[in-house]
Amino acid sequence: MSRQPATTDRRIEILKSAAAAFRRRGYHGASVDEIASALEMTKGNLYYYFKNKEEILFACHEYSLGKLLVLMDEVEAESLSPDARLRRLVLAFVHLILDDLHGTALTLDPEALSPPLLKRIIAKRDRFDHGIRTIIQQGIDQGVFKPGDPKMIEFAMMGAINWISKWFDPNGAMTSDQIGDAFADYLVGGLQQ
Amino acid sequence: MSRQPATTDRRIEILKSAAAAFRRRGYHGASVDEIASALEMTKGNLYYYFKNKEEILFACHEYSLGKLLVLMDEVEAESLSPDARLRRLVLAFVHLILDDLHGTALTLDPEALSPPLLKRIIAKRDRFDHGIRTIIQQGIDQGVFKPGDPKMIEFAMMGAINWISKWFDPNGAMTSDQIGDAFADYLVGGLQQ
């Protein structure tokens, strides 16, 4: 007899299936039916975990941003240099895009969410953006990084990483570790004096 | 009596209206009707310029890539240093995203095009990508740029610029010139030894 997966595991499986469906057909084009049937689940069973498609999209965003914010807390608690902290966050973000929910939560347009849910996602995203900008500013203040506008640098950095989902080929020559290193060398290394 | 705009001008107006509609509602969600009516044109009149929506999307891509390739030719003909050439191309690309068709042609998924049209767009995009990578490689070979993988650097650079269309606020504090300079300082400046 196979072990019954814990509720949390099952929820994450649903998020992965949904992320793949949203990626293939867009949020509006994907149906709860196809998300369920890819997992050999009935729609009724899926509704035990999530009330509707919007709740699934919200959970995707929350899951990805949650992972990034846990790491941000860890990194903020450590006494690393700004470049070491930024490098860790860039690598984690690249891996989240490539290996986890394939970045859906972060590259999909959250505008499909209704205002109260959208507000909660934007608040988390703002916290992450703010954390990145603070590290860039600290690096500039400490003379580790070249002078520049932390907001523009953060937008460029996050855009470069978010865009990976547009060109990444899982059958391509580059592993996610190699992509992570190349991106961190360029995006963080380029800030150094 | 107002002067009748030349055919080319009228075509570009249609592309701009289409770019805005695609941006608002996605390629599949936007209708030829709404593209025409935003210009106070009849649908029949629009069909004088473009046979269908696919042809408009194709023309959007071709217009934007055409501009970039003309500039690539100019830049290749000049005897500037790799960093000066790359800076010019980055600035032009940022302006194309922000001031022209709002980057639609480049950030929209060209997969909506049928295979023969898609192939032509991909060939042009490949030429542009190849041109950027060649300049990065030359910079590395000449010791102007730090060592790195030109393909990964180019992906990061183009992703950062393409992503601008996701966060740019026309009513925001930054002008497109300021964004262009900040991006060139970070993305090209960061390559320098």
Side-chain angles (χ1 to χ4, degrees), chain A residues 124-140:
Chain A
K124 291 200 179 199
R125 217 172 48 182
D126 284 351
R127 218 189 109 206
F128 183 71
D129 288 344
H130 180 79
I132 297 282
R133 285 175 205 173
T134 302
I135 298 174
I136 296 171
Q137 187 64 61
Q138 287 169 345
I140 295 171

Side-chain angles (χ1 to χ4, degrees), chain A residues 106-107 146 149 152-153 155-157 159-160 162-163 166-167 174 179 182-183 186-191, chain B residues 106-107 146 149 152-153 155-157 159-160 162-163 166-167 174 179 182-183 186-191:
Chain A
L106 300 150
T107 56
K146 291 179 236 180
D149 178 340
M152 287 296 118
I153 293 169
F155 274 146
M157 196 176 266
N162 277 313
W163 199 257
K166 300 268 187 180
W167 56 261
M174 297 288 280
I179 294 171
F183 269 58
Y186 174 44
L187 298 171
V188 183
L191 289 172
Chain B
L106 300 149
T107 55
K146 292 179 234 178
D149 178 339
M152 286 298 117
I153 293 168
F155 275 146
M157 196 176 267
N162 277 314
W163 200 257
K166 300 268 187 179
W167 55 261
M174 297 287 280
I179 295 172
F183 269 58
Y186 174 45
L187 298 172
V188 183
L191 289 172

Side-chain angles (χ1 to χ4, degrees), chain A residues 9-24:
Chain A
D9 293 350
R10 199 61 173 151
R11 280 176 63 93
I12 293 172
E13 275 174 34
I14 294 169
L15 297 185
K16 288 191 180 183
S17 172
F22 294 157
R23 206 172 137 77
R24 268 195 315 270

Side-chain angles (χ1 to χ4, degrees), chain A residues 2-35:
Chain A
S2 67
R3 207 166 61 87
Q4 199 68 10
T7 305
T8 314
D9 293 350
R10 199 61 173 151
R11 280 176 63 93
I12 293 172
E13 275 174 34
I14 294 169
L15 297 185
K16 288 191 180 183
S17 172
F22 294 157
R23 206 172 137 77
R24 268 195 315 270
R25 304 158 71 80
Y27 173 71
H28 294 292
S31 71
V32 172
D33 254 334
E34 95 185 81
I35 297 167

Side-chain angles (χ1 to χ4, degrees), chain A residues 75 81-91 132 135-136 145 157 187-188 191:
Chain A
V75 156
S81 64
D83 49 329
R85 275 184 288 151
L86 201 53
R87 188 174 177 98
R88 274 196 60 187
L89 288 162
V90 165
L91 289 175
I132 297 282
I135 298 174
I136 296 171
F145 294 156
M157 196 176 266
L187 298 171
V188 183
L191 289 172

Side-chain angles (χ1 to χ4, degrees), chain B residues 119-180:
Chain B
K119 215 172 139 184
R120 284 165 60 189
I121 292 305
I122 288 179
K124 292 199 181 200
R125 216 172 48 182
D126 284 351
R127 219 188 108 207
F128 184 71
D129 287 344
H130 180 78
I132 297 282
R133 286 175 205 173
T134 302
I135 299 173
I136 296 171
Q137 186 64 61
Q138 286 167 348
I140 295 171
D141 293 344
Q142 294 173 22
V144 179
F145 294 156
K146 292 179 234 178
D149 178 339
K151 189 173 167 183
M152 286 298 117
I153 293 168
E154 190 253 338
F155 275 146
M157 196 176 267
M158 295 300 114
I161 301 171
N162 277 314
W163 200 257
I164 295 174
S165 61
K166 300 268 187 179
W167 55 261
F168 178 63
D169 172 7
N171 304 316
M174 297 287 280
T175 66
S176 67
D177 279 332
Q178 289 170 322
I179 295 172

